[in-house]
Amino acid sequence: MVAELVRAHPNIGAGQSYHNAGGMILRGPGNPDAELYHPDDAARFDHIAEIGKAQLPHYRYLVVGKDMYTVYGGELDWFYGARGIFMFTNELWSSFDYFREQGRGSGWFGRQEDVYKFDELLLFGEGIIDWKPVVHPQYGDIEIGGIRKNWTRTAPSFLIEDMCHRNMAFTLFHAYHLPEIAVDSVQVQPIGQSLLQIDVVIRNDRMLPTRSAREVQHQFTRPDWVTLNGADVVAGFVVTDPLHDRAVEQKYHPQRMHVQTVPGMGTVQVRWLVRSAQNVTVSFDSHRGGHIERAIELR
């Protein structure tokens, strides 16, 4: 169901799931021998997770296959590996929150002595059931009791709001950095032979690109389109080095330029040579970067 939803919505650029417990921010790959994550994408994962560690005290940022255990076919690897989506899983609740002292955490659920002391001092005995004998129909004389199942794997009731709020803040920070596109600048200049040169710079104000490096590498979705409307386009180029005025021509259908990605906190520049123009607009259209349009004033 989730995979079907994601495949049907190529606009999905980020994902977040939750599990318990142990206080972790997880990403793939799940196979320690895999080189699945492109370095450009891994750097963006790392930056978002480092902020997450500040929002979620004592949560550890881990790569599943390297820092935990081998996982084949996990959702982290499918979201990124098969779709190019920036995906995290948070393991909710950290044993650090029992007494919020460094070094007390041990294992996913904390040290046994801390669990019982926490119940005594802060839950007032509501977290642990006294042991009592019962007769089991199959096993005979046994005892039941111990730690209630509704805590230790996740926060006790009075800490749930704090845990949820902090994880929500991390998720919103992740979502905030989905691409936000704007037309940064437009330059129009005559170049002779009745031709105009139109240069347009598209800007991304967020950390995540319009298409991840993994997505570009395997062409999970089409490139972004930058289209010039209302003009007789002679040629179109993607400017690869503005400083030295270097550009690569798109030989076919130059009116709609194909841009592989607009990088996070970066720009791309496209250029057209046109003969005649009237009521000219430039539009940007991307599965994950959205759609914008701007009128171009010709002088």
Side-chain angles (χ1 to χ4, degrees), residues 155-177:
S157 58
F158 75 95
L159 289 176
I160 286 176
E161 181 178 359
D162 177 82
M163 179 187 72
C164 290
H165 182 93
R166 289 179 178 275
N167 278 274
M168 173 271 294
F170 170 73
T171 303
L172 290 182
F173 179 78
H174 185 191
Y176 173 81
H177 278 289

Side-chain angles (χ1 to χ4, degrees), residues 58 94-96 98 101-111 114:
H58 209 66
S94 168
S95 57
F96 168 77
Y98 284 133
E101 295 176 4
Q102 295 288 347
R104 292 193 71 126
S106 177
W108 290 349
F109 312 123
R111 300 184 305 179
D114 284 341

Side-chain angles (χ1 to χ4, degrees), residues 8 12 25 68 70 109 127 129 152 159 162 169 192 217 230 234 287 295:
I12 295 173
I25 301 169
M68 295 179 66
T70 300
F109 312 123
I129 299 173
T152 68
L159 289 176
D162 177 82
Q217 183 180 21
V234 175
H287 280 312

Side-chain angles (χ1 to χ4, degrees), residues 227-231 233 255 272 277-283 293 296:
T227 305
L228 192 68
N229 304 295
V233 177
Q255 182 177 4
W272 291 277
Q278 187 175 7
N279 299 323
V280 179
T281 63
V282 61
S283 66
E293 187 168 324
I296 295 179

